[in-house]
Coordinates of all heavy atoms in Angstrom, one line a residue:
Chain A
G57 N 6.8 -2.9 12.4 CA 7.0 -3.0 11.0 C 8.5 -2.9 10.5 O 9.3 -2.7 11.4
T58 N 8.7 -3.1 9.3 CA 10.1 -3.0 8.8 C 10.2 -1.9 7.8 O 9.3 -1.4 7.4 CB 10.4 -4.3 8.0 OG1 9.7 -4.3 6.7 CG2 9.9 -5.6 8.7
L60 N 11.2 -2.2 4.8 CA 11.2 -2.8 3.5 C 9.8 -2.4 2.8 O 8.8 -2.6 3.3 CB 11.3 -4.3 3.5 CG 12.5 -4.8 4.3 CD1 12.5 -6.3 4.4 CD2 13.8 -4.3 3.7
S61 N 10.0 -1.8 1.5 CA 8.8 -1.4 0.9 C 7.9 -2.5 0.4 O 6.7 -2.3 0.2 CB 9.2 -0.4 -0.2 OG 10.3 -0.9 -1.0
N62 N 8.5 -3.6 0.1 CA 7.7 -4.7 -0.4 C 7.3 -5.7 0.8 O 6.9 -6.8 0.6 CB 8.4 -5.5 -1.5 CG 7.5 -6.1 -2.4 OD1 6.4 -5.7 -2.6 ND2 7.9 -7.2 -3.1
K65 N 4.5 -8.4 1.0 CA 4.5 -9.7 0.2 C 5.6 -10.6 0.6 O 5.8 -11.7 0.0 CB 4.8 -9.3 -1.3 CG 3.7 -8.4 -1.8 CD 3.1 -8.8 -3.1 CE 1.9 -8.0 -3.4 NZ 1.6 -8.0 -4.8
M73 N 16.3 -12.7 6.1 CA 17.4 -12.8 5.2 C 17.9 -11.3 4.7 O 19.1 -11.0 4.7 CB 17.1 -13.5 3.9 CG 17.0 -15.0 4.0 SD 18.4 -15.8 4.7 CE 19.6 -15.6 3.5
Q105 N 13.6 4.2 1.5 CA 12.6 4.6 0.6 C 13.2 5.0 -0.8 O 12.7 4.8 -1.8 CB 11.6 5.6 1.0 CG 11.9 6.3 2.3 CD 11.2 7.7 2.4 OE1 10.3 8.0 1.6 NE2 11.6 8.4 3.4
N108 N 18.6 2.9 -1.2 CA 20.0 3.0 -0.8 C 20.7 4.3 -1.3 O 21.9 4.4 -1.4 CB 20.8 1.8 -1.4 CG 20.4 0.5 -0.8 OD1 19.6 0.6 0.2 ND2 20.7 -0.5 -1.4
Y113 N 22.8 12.9 0.8 CA 22.5 13.3 -0.6 C 21.0 13.7 -0.7 O 20.7 14.8 -1.3 CB 22.8 12.2 -1.6 CG 22.5 12.5 -3.0 CD1 23.3 13.4 -3.8 CD2 21.4 12.0 -3.7 CE1 23.0 13.7 -5.1 CE2 21.1 12.4 -5.0 CZ 21.9 13.2 -5.7 OH 21.7 13.5 -7.0
T117 N 19.9 17.5 -1.6 CA 19.1 17.9 -2.9 C 17.7 18.4 -2.5 O 17.1 19.1 -3.4 CB 19.0 16.7 -3.8 OG1 18.5 15.6 -3.0 CG2 20.3 16.3 -4.5
R118 N 17.2 18.1 -1.4 CA 15.9 18.5 -1.0 C 15.8 19.7 -0.2 O 14.7 20.3 -0.1 CB 15.1 17.3 -0.3 CG 14.7 16.2 -1.2 CD 14.0 16.7 -2.5 NE 13.3 15.6 -3.2 CZ 12.1 15.2 -2.9 NH1 11.4 15.8 -2.0 NH2 11.6 14.3 -3.6
W191 N 8.2 23.4 -9.9 CA 9.4 24.0 -9.4 C 10.2 24.4 -10.6 O 10.4 23.6 -11.5 CB 10.1 23.1 -8.5 CG 11.2 23.8 -7.7 CD1 12.4 23.6 -7.8 CD2 10.9 24.8 -6.6 NE1 13.1 24.4 -6.9 CE2 12.2 25.1 -6.1 CE3 9.8 25.3 -6.1 CZ2 12.3 26.0 -5.1 CZ3 10.0 26.3 -5.1 CH2 11.2 26.6 -4.6
I276 N 1.0 20.6 -1.9 CA 0.0 21.2 -2.8 C 0.7 21.9 -3.9 O 0.2 21.8 -5.0 CB -0.8 22.3 -1.9 CG1 -1.7 21.6 -0.9 CG2 -1.6 23.2 -2.8 CD1 -2.4 22.5 0.1
E284 N 8.0 17.0 3.3 CA 7.1 15.8 3.2 C 8.0 14.6 3.6 O 7.4 13.6 4.0 CB 6.6 15.7 1.8 CG 5.6 14.7 1.6 CD 6.1 13.6 0.7 OE1 7.2 13.7 0.2 OE2 5.3 12.7 0.4
Chain B
E57 N 7.9 9.7 -5.9 CA 9.2 9.8 -6.6 C 9.6 8.5 -7.1 O 9.1 7.5 -6.7 CB 10.2 10.3 -5.5 CG 10.2 11.7 -5.1 CD 9.4 12.0 -3.8 OE1 8.7 11.0 -3.5 OE2 9.5 13.0 -3.2
P59 N 12.4 6.0 -6.7 CA 13.5 5.8 -5.7 C 14.7 5.2 -6.3 O 15.8 5.4 -5.7 CB 12.9 4.9 -4.7 CG 11.4 4.8 -5.0 CD 11.3 5.1 -6.5
T67 N 11.3 -1.9 -6.3 CA 10.1 -2.4 -5.7 C 8.8 -1.6 -6.0 O 7.7 -2.0 -5.9 CB 10.2 -2.4 -4.2 OG1 10.5 -1.1 -3.7 CG2 11.1 -3.4 -3.7
Q144 N 14.0 -7.4 -3.0 CA 12.7 -7.7 -2.3 C 11.7 -8.4 -3.3 O 10.6 -8.6 -2.9 CB 12.1 -6.4 -1.8 CG 12.9 -5.8 -0.6 CD 12.3 -4.6 0.0 OE1 11.1 -4.6 0.2 NE2 13.0 -3.6 0.2
Q159 N 18.7 -18.1 -2.4 CA 18.2 -17.0 -1.6 C 18.4 -17.3 -0.1 O 18.6 -16.4 0.7 CB 16.7 -16.7 -1.9 CG 16.5 -16.0 -3.3 CD 15.1 -16.0 -3.7 OE1 14.2 -16.0 -2.8 NE2 14.8 -16.2 -5.0
M215 N 21.3 4.8 -9.6 CA 20.8 5.8 -8.6 C 20.7 7.2 -9.3 O 20.2 8.1 -8.7 CB 21.9 6.0 -7.6 CG 22.3 4.7 -6.8 SD 20.9 4.2 -5.9 CE 21.4 4.7 -4.4
T232 N 17.8 12.8 -11.0 CA 19.0 12.9 -10.2 C 19.0 11.9 -9.0 O 19.9 11.8 -8.2 CB 19.2 14.3 -9.5 OG1 18.1 14.5 -8.6 CG2 19.1 15.4 -10.6
T234 N 16.8 11.9 -6.5 CA 15.8 12.4 -5.5 C 14.9 13.5 -6.0 O 14.0 14.0 -5.3 CB 16.5 13.0 -4.3 OG1 17.4 14.0 -4.7 CG2 17.4 11.9 -3.6
K237 N 11.1 15.7 -11.1 CA 10.9 15.9 -12.4 C 11.9 15.2 -13.3 O 13.1 15.4 -13.1 CB 11.0 17.5 -12.7 CG 9.7 18.1 -13.1 CD 9.8 19.6 -12.9 CE 9.5 20.4 -14.2 NZ 9.7 21.8 -13.8
K263 N 1.7 15.0 -5.5 CA 1.1 14.1 -4.5 C -0.3 14.4 -4.2 O -1.0 13.6 -3.7 CB 2.0 14.1 -3.3 CG 3.4 13.8 -3.7 CD 4.3 13.5 -2.5 CE 5.7 13.1 -3.1 NZ 6.6 12.5 -2.2
T267 N -4.1 19.1 -6.9 CA -3.2 19.9 -7.6 C -3.0 19.2 -9.0 O -3.0 19.9 -10.0 CB -1.8 19.8 -6.9 OG1 -1.9 20.3 -5.6 CG2 -0.7 20.5 -7.7
N270 N -5.8 20.4 -11.0 CA -5.7 21.7 -11.5 C -4.7 21.8 -12.6 O -4.9 22.6 -13.6 CB -5.2 22.7 -10.4 CG -6.3 22.9 -9.4 OD1 -7.5 22.8 -9.7 ND2 -6.0 23.3 -8.1
K437 N 2.2 -0.1 8.4 CA 3.3 -1.0 8.8 C 2.9 -1.7 10.1 O 3.3 -2.9 10.3 CB 4.6 -0.2 9.1 CG 5.2 0.4 7.9 CD 6.1 -0.6 7.2 CE 6.7 0.0 5.9 NZ 7.5 -0.9 5.2
T441 N 2.4 -5.9 10.7 CA 3.1 -6.6 11.8 C 2.0 -7.4 12.6 O 2.2 -8.5 12.9 CB 3.8 -5.6 12.7 OG1 4.6 -4.8 12.0 CG2 4.6 -6.4 13.8
G456 N -2.4 -6.8 -4.0 CA -2.3 -6.4 -5.4 C -1.7 -7.6 -6.2 O -0.8 -8.2 -5.7
D458 N 0.7 -9.6 -8.6 CA 2.0 -9.5 -9.2 C 2.0 -9.7 -10.7 O 2.7 -9.2 -11.4 CB 2.9 -10.5 -8.6 CG 3.4 -10.0 -7.2 OD1 3.4 -8.8 -6.9 OD2 3.7 -10.9 -6.3

Side-chain angles (χ1 to χ4, degrees):
Chain A
T58 76
L60 308 178
S61 43
N62 208 23
K65 304 230 167 154
M73 287 305 293
Q105 7 161 12
N108 299 344
Y113 179 75
T117 49
R118 287 308 194 89
W191 194 247
I276 290 173
E284 189 245 4
Chain B
E57 285 98 342
T67 53
Q144 294 186 44
Q159 290 165 32
M215 305 294 259
T232 67
T234 57
K237 244 161 125 181
K263 306 193 180 194
T267 303
N270 286 342
K437 293 274 179 184
T441 309
D458 285 331

